[in-house]
Amino acid sequence: MTKKIFRSIIVVAIVVLLISFFIASNFLFDYYNKSHVAQLKEALSLVSAGVNENGTEYLEKLDSSIFRFTLVDADGTVLYDSLVDASEMENHLDREEIAQALESGSGSSVRKSSTLTERTFYEAVRLENGKVLRISMSQMTVGALILDMLPAVIVIAFISIVVALVLSHTMSSGIVKSLDNLDLDHPAENDAYEEITPILTKLDKQRKQINRQMQELKQKSDEFKQITASMNEGLVLLDKNGVIISINKAAKKLFGTDDSAVGRDFLTVDRRTEMSHAVEKALEGKHSEFREERNGSEYRFIINRTESEGKTVGVVILCLDVTESAYAERNRREFTANVSHELKTPLQSIIGSAELLENGLVKPEDTKRFVGNIKSEATRLVSLINDIIRLSQLDENSESASESVDLYDITKEVVEVLSASAAKKRVRISLDGEPCVMNGVRRYLYEIVYNLCDNAIRYNKEGGSVTVGLNKNADNVILKVSDTGIGIPVEHQSRVFERFYRVDKSHSKETGGTGLGLSIVKHAVAYHGGSIKLDSTAGEGTTVTVEF
Ligand code: ADP
């Protein structure tokens, strides 16, 4: 910019200089001419008066270094010339000024000299004796004058250009400096040239608008960050080149990265083939979805393109932790398979016994045993189906009506119901405790106590004991069922709450049970917001503590 201003000033200075020079020369030349003509006229009037009075001899006495005098007779014959011998001069009657003077008394003319670099001014007057006195003076032409003045003009032009250079440099730097010093962060506060005030005002307006828009954008981006940060799902936004624009907390954790991932290619964060294929497909506008295990959890990845006005502008990757639902799904599948198996075994036994009886292959003395077998398998089937129904009710998590119940009453009832089977197994069962009124679903609470006590009897040793204790403190009701039975080996303790899990599968028929009892207990306790604890030593006994 400095250079441009500098160049413009120089060009303007030179043009102005040349124009002024030519105008001034013309004016001066004109003035010069007029003053010469006036001078000539004055000198002619004086000299003509002298010649009128003193005759032609007067001319000879005059100094002819400045002016040239010529005396011409009325017929054009040159009588005297102060510069040339008059006898050698041609007739002057055709000279314009002479002709005018003879006719009207005075005449004047200007003629170029033969060299073309000079002009001659002529003034003539008719004397009293009828002759014509002419006075003339030569002067340079404009061109010659300029040529004559050329060295001086060059010096002046050089000085002028140098001065213009210095001035234009100072001026252009001054202009640029003041532009450089403009505070564009606060355009309205500048004390600048009047000419740039409209630009500054516009700038100020635009700045305010940009600030407002920036604030709105920041607010939106903050809101977006807050929302995505609190999401459990991972969310990654990529631009159309696959570069990360935004990655939320959950996604950073999942891909093992941090804030430095923003601005990097997503491939540098996750190189797995399926993911890069999905991103590529999304950029082509296709939706992708796949499941993959990451950090011990199962994730569902949904990859889609983001678009604006029909064009792909990026990709959005949504990562959902589906470990729990996948686990539940797996459990459901396993459960169905187990249920089929568990139902099939007693049914096959029933069908087998029935077929033998039908075909008369059973000895009469064994008939009772076979019928008894059918009955016990059928009973087992019924209790299995009952357990499945209970479990599926608990699984559905449907709200059951809560009421105020005394857990002591329920426990007492269970102990009474089970006392016969305890006696049969020669197991002593005792209840110790106090009334514990709590809010709960009677049916589920009964299941909890029943299954725990039933297990404590079934997995007991002959002559063993079961102690049921019921206490309460300020906040909780505590149910404790201890037995002196066979106990559960440590490696099985974490699994006994799983559906159909049995420690000793080979003896399950003898001990009865469906493998669902503790599952029902676990679910029913969870339904009441309680906790369950298992302490067991193989061969010594088991204590299950439930805290509501
Ligand atoms: P089941 O109907 O087979 O008793 P449960 O879910 O109630 O099924 O129990 C699962 C397994 O845990 C049982 O098969 C048994 O091996 C073990 N178990 C449960 N309670 C006791 C206990 N009090 N003493 C020893 N083993 C137990």
Side-chain angles (χ1 to χ4, degrees):
M1 188 178 178
T2 320
K3 268 189 196 160
K4 206 169 176 189
I5 297 174
F6 180 73
R7 241 182 283 138
S8 310
I9 294 177
I10 288 289
V11 170
V12 168
I14 292 172
V15 170
V16 168
L17 190 75
L18 288 173
I19 292 172
S20 340
F21 175 72
F22 282 110
I23 292 174
S25 325
N26 271 308
F27 268 117
L28 276 174
F29 192 69
D30 202 42
Y31 172 78
Y32 195 45
N33 284 348
K34 280 179 185 157
S35 82
H36 273 169
V37 171
Q39 230 181 320
L40 273 178
K41 278 187 174 156
E42 203 182 317
L44 182 65
S45 105
L46 286 172
V47 174
S48 63
V51 174
N52 277 335
E53 204 143 304
N54 304 309
T56 314
E57 299 82 46
Y58 180 74
L59 286 174
E60 283 159 11
K61 291 180 202 150
L62 291 174
D63 176 11
S64 59
S65 61
I66 301 169
F67 303 118
R68 178 182 176 187
F69 302 103
T70 312
L71 189 65
V72 182
D73 207 350
D75 61 359
T77 313
V78 180
L79 300 172
Y80 172 78
D81 190 87
S82 59
L83 217 67
V84 189
D85 185 1
S87 60
E88 286 174 12
M89 289 173 75
E90 58 190 36
N91 189 292
H92 268 41
L93 202 59
D94 60 341
R95 302 296 197 271
E96 196 186 342
E97 69 282 359
I98 304 285
Q100 281 173 11
L102 284 170
E103 200 187 317
S104 61
S106 69
S108 58
S109 73
V110 182
R111 280 195 293 279
K112 284 227 169 92
S113 69
S114 54
T115 58
L116 293 177
T117 58
E118 284 194 342
R119 300 190 309 171
T120 308
F121 289 80
Y122 296 97
E123 285 295 328
V125 69
R126 196 176 61 215
L127 297 175
E128 286 166 358
N129 56 13
K131 292 171 186 165
V132 173
L133 176 64
R134 187 182 76 173
I135 187 166
S136 62
M137 190 169 88
S138 290
Q139 190 211 316
M140 275 188 271
T141 58
V142 181
L145 195 69
I146 290 172
L147 269 176
D148 200 42
M149 284 162 62
L150 203 59
V153 169
I154 289 172
V155 172
I156 291 170
F158 178 74
I159 293 170
S160 308
I161 287 170
V162 170
V163 171
L165 278 172
V166 174
L167 283 178
S168 59
H169 183 260
T170 322
M171 280 164 73
S172 54
S173 324
I175 293 169
V176 172
K177 197 175 170 193
S178 62
L179 290 177
D180 274 348
N181 288 344
L182 284 177
D183 179 5
L184 293 178
D185 287 335
H186 308 94
E189 288 169 23
N190 286 295
D191 184 16
Y193 302 114
E194 206 178 303
E195 289 77 5
I196 58 169
T197 311
I199 300 174
L200 292 175
T201 316
K202 203 167 178 184
L203 265 179
D204 189 50
K205 218 167 130 189
Q206 282 178 345
R207 240 193 96 80
K208 280 180 185 153
Q209 197 179 346
I210 290 169
N211 280 350
R212 216 175 21 249
Q213 285 172 344
M214 289 287 285
Q215 242 169 347
E216 277 172 21
L217 270 178
K218 196 179 170 300
Q219 199 182 332
K220 280 193 182 140
S221 128
D222 285 350
E223 277 171 13
F224 175 77
K225 270 189 196 152
Q226 268 173 16
I227 293 168
T228 55
S230 57
M231 271 168 67
N232 288 330
E233 295 79 15
L235 184 76
V236 188
L237 298 182
L238 312 182
D239 70 7
K240 62 175 189 301
N241 301 313
V243 172
I244 300 173
I245 305 169
S246 166
I247 178 163
N248 77 343
K249 205 169 135 192
K252 276 186 231 164
K253 198 174 158 203
L254 169 63
F255 294 111
T257 186
D258 51 25
D259 283 334
S260 66
V262 177
R264 270 166 43 201
D265 197 306
F266 184 64
L267 273 178
T268 63
V269 172
D270 192 275
R271 289 193 158 273
R272 298 204 193 192
T273 330
E274 195 152 11
M275 180 62 92
S276 36
H277 279 333
V279 171
E280 264 172 41
K281 269 169 73 182
L283 285 170
E284 288 163 13
K286 291 174 201 146
H287 166 95
S288 296
E289 226 180 290
F290 66 93
R291 280 172 181 240
E292 217 168 63
E293 210 187 287
R294 305 274 173 121
N295 317 329
S297 300
E298 189 164 339
Y299 280 89
R300 180 173 161 217
F301 296 98
I302 303 169
I303 299 103
N304 266 320
R305 72 162 181 166
T306 50
E307 58 175 290
S308 171
E309 291 166 4
K311 283 187 193 152
T312 303
V313 290
V315 173
V316 56
I317 303 171
L318 187 65
C319 325
L320 308 168
D321 186 345
V322 291
T323 317
E324 262 182 48
S325 60
Y327 177 73
E329 209 177 296
R330 230 178 355 255
N331 266 358
R332 238 189 321 276
R333 273 202 300 271
E334 268 175 32
F335 182 65
T336 317
N338 281 334
V339 165
S340 326
H341 175 76
E342 294 290 331
L343 289 176
K344 222 168 130 189
T345 319
L347 276 174
Q348 271 169 346
S349 170
I350 291 171
I351 292 167
S353 301
E355 274 175 357
L356 289 175
L357 284 168
E358 190 184 29
N359 298 330
L361 296 170
V362 181
K363 288 182 197 154
E365 61 268 31
D366 290 334
T367 308
K368 203 176 170 195
R369 192 164 55 84
F370 272 78
V371 172
N373 186 35
I374 291 175
K375 193 184 162 201
S376 77
E377 289 294 353
T379 315
R380 206 161 102 86
L381 264 179
V382 171
S383 64
L384 183 66
I385 290 165
N386 280 340
D387 275 359
I388 292 169
I389 292 170
R390 279 188 206 105
L391 204 55
S392 66
Q393 277 172 347
L394 281 162
D395 259 353
E396 275 169 24
N397 237 343
S398 55
E399 285 286 316
S400 298
S402 276
E403 55 186 325
S404 179
V405 286
D406 186 350
L407 194 60
Y408 185 80
D409 280 350
I410 294 173
T411 313
K412 210 168 130 198
E413 194 185 326
V414 171
V415 171
E416 274 166 22
V417 168
L418 288 173
S419 56
S421 59
K424 208 167 148 193
K425 223 186 156 191
R426 299 211 308 114
V427 170
R428 200 163 27 83
I429 182 162
S430 61
L431 169 63
D432 179 32
E434 52 183 324
C436 294
V437 180
M438 60 177 280
N439 225 26
V441 181
R442 194 182 168 80
R443 197 157 41 95
Y444 294 165
L445 292 171
Y446 186 92
E447 290 292 342
I448 296 168
V449 185
Y450 184 92
N451 278 302
L452 291 179
C453 293
D454 185 41
N455 281 351
I457 296 165
R458 275 193 294 118
Y459 301 107
N460 220 314
K461 297 171 192 160
E462 266 208 26
S465 67
V466 174
T467 315
V468 185
L470 204 57
N471 297 97
K472 62 175 179 187
N473 60 26
D475 304 313
N476 300 329
V477 169
I478 302 148
L479 165 75
K480 202 181 252 190
V481 181
S482 305
D483 64 65
T484 54
I486 56 170
I488 304 168
V490 186
E491 64 272 24
H492 295 283
Q493 287 180 11
S494 62
R495 302 202 60 189
V496 288
F497 291 96
E498 287 175 20
R499 292 166 189 196
F500 296 111
Y501 192 84
R502 295 186 191 99
V503 174
D504 185 358
K505 290 176 186 76
S506 52
H507 293 98
S508 61
K509 213 167 175 181
E510 295 145 38
T511 49
T514 57
L516 294 173
L518 286 183
S519 273
I520 294 171
V521 171
K522 186 177 131 188
H523 273 76
V525 170
Y527 183 88
H528 287 87
S531 65
I532 190 160
K533 200 173 124 220
L534 176 81
D535 291 304
S536 186
T537 311
E540 284 181 23
T542 305
T543 300
V544 181
T545 314
V546 178
E547 215 166 314
F548 296 104

